[in-house]
């Protein structure tokens, strides 16, 4: 069922194996994008975009929100997952069923069965916004993959290795691209170069990235 949904989006998706554990499907979600993005206004009405603070006191250039039973947050106390939006004091809104279905289908197609995301970070990049090289290691279960959807303005993605000494590749991520990371790639350094100004029919002056994860401990 989920595999069927994924297959109907584009009959012959172009699968690129960028590295062991890293699969990129270009343009996979271009057909589904309007419906997937139509979920955003209701989510953002519950938990609006905000610029979070790093533990070091810097403000992130990427505006963020979350949906799911857990949301990724950062403030002066550190990076972590929280069941509550600190800005509203309420739980984050639920992950839309269409997002969960597309994410599990992508994970399954990449070889990861039973991907059940409980956290979705919603990143909004205005021109100039960037994300420095980092590892995603705040999740309880590093065996689960991460699935990311890119929409709107294109951006250059930085793909590093497991240490800061490793060389960094640059890959364009464009509207509708799907990335799945897992296994040996799960802790690779990665980032996003500053987004250049532009206009996209669906996202306007922004790049939107959805990152779906299994952040909590698997339910027994
Ligand atoms: C590689 N977001 O939110 S998503 C992040 O486009 C983040 O907004 C970027 O990195 C963005 O943490 C990149 C692609 C991605 C996500 C998770 C990864 C790449 C990854 C985990 C390990 C290695
Ligand atoms: Fe990341």
């Amino acid at each position: 069922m989920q595999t069927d949904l994924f297959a109907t989006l584009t009959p012959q998706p172009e699968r690129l194996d960028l590295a062991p554990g890293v699969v990129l499907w270009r343009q996979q979600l271009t057909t589904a994008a309007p419906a997937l993005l139509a979920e955003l206004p209701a989510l953002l009405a519950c938990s609006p975009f905000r610029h979070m603070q790093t533990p070091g006191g810097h403000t992130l250039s990427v505006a963020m929100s979350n949906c799911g039973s857990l949301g990724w947050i950062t403030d002066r106390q550190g990076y972590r997952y929280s069941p509550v939006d600190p800005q509203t004091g309420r739980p984050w809104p639920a992950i839309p069923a269409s997002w969960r279905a597309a994410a599990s289908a992508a994970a399954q197609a990449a070889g990861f069965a039973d991907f059940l995301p409980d956290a979705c970070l919603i990143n909004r990049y205005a021109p100039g916004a960037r994300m420095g090289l980092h590892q995603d290691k705040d999740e309880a279960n590093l065996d689960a993959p991460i699935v990311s959807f890119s929409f709107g303005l294109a951006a250059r993605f930085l793909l590093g290795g497991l240490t800061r000494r490793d060389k960094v590749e640059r890959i364009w991520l464009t509207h509708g691209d799907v990335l799945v990371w897992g296994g040996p790639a799960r802790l690779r350094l990665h980032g996003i170069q500053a987004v250049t100004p532009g206009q996209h029919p669906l996202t306007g002056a922004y790049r939107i990235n959805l990152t779906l994860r299994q952040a909590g401990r698997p339910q027994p």
Side-chain angles (χ1 to χ4, degrees):
M1 156 67 182
Q2 289 173 347
T3 311
D4 290 345
L5 170 65
F6 195 57
T8 58
L9 302 176
T10 306
Q12 298 291 333
E14 187 194 348
R15 172 183 172 142
L16 295 169
D17 289 83
L18 297 183
V22 187
V23 183
L24 168 63
W25 279 278
R26 291 214 180 271
Q27 322 274 308
Q28 176 63 19
L29 296 174
T30 46
T31 304
L36 295 172
L37 290 170
E39 304 282 357
L40 273 176
L43 299 174
L44 296 168
C46 299
S47 285
F49 280 126
R50 80 292 306 266
H51 293 272
M52 299 186 201
Q53 295 275 114
T54 67
H58 296 283
T59 301
L60 295 182
S61 58
V62 180
M64 297 178 170
S65 184
N66 288 279
C67 54
S69 55
L70 290 170
W72 185 84
I73 61 170
T74 175
D75 57 21
R76 293 307 298 255
Q77 272 64 58
Y79 306 120
R80 62 198 179 278
Y81 280 91
S82 168
V84 166
D85 178 348
Q87 191 166 299
T88 65
R90 292 191 303 268
W92 306 98
I95 303 177
S98 61
W99 295 12
R100 276 190 284 114
S104 357
Q108 177 152 326
F112 299 94
D114 306 317
F115 179 63
L116 295 170
D118 57 10
C120 177
L121 178 62
I122 307 169
N123 290 328
R124 186 189 69 184
Y125 295 75
R130 55 187 289 277
M131 193 177 285
L133 269 190
H134 67 279
Q135 292 172 300
D136 289 18
K137 52 185 180 187
D138 300 323
E139 298 74 29
N141 176 8
L142 295 177
D143 293 335
I146 292 179
V147 175
S148 108
F149 301 153
S150 292
F151 296 112
L153 299 185
R156 259 181 304 236
F157 178 66
L158 303 170
L159 168 55
L162 294 174
T163 80
R164 293 199 176 261
R165 290 185 298 276
D166 296 320
K167 75 169 201 308
V168 175
E169 279 184 75
R170 283 166 178 75
I171 299 143
W172 280 100
L173 287 183
T174 59
H175 179 72
D177 287 355
V178 176
L179 262 174
V180 180
W181 298 78
R186 181 62 181 74
L187 288 175
R188 284 177 79 140
L189 290 149
H190 58 280
I192 294 285
Q193 283 188 320
V195 170
T196 51
Q199 278 291 327
H200 189 279
L202 291 179
T203 65
Y206 299 106
R207 169 177 189 262
I208 301 283
N209 179 267
L210 309 177
T211 304
L212 293 110
R213 311 150 193 256
Q214 273 174 218
R217 306 206 163 273
Q219 298 304 304

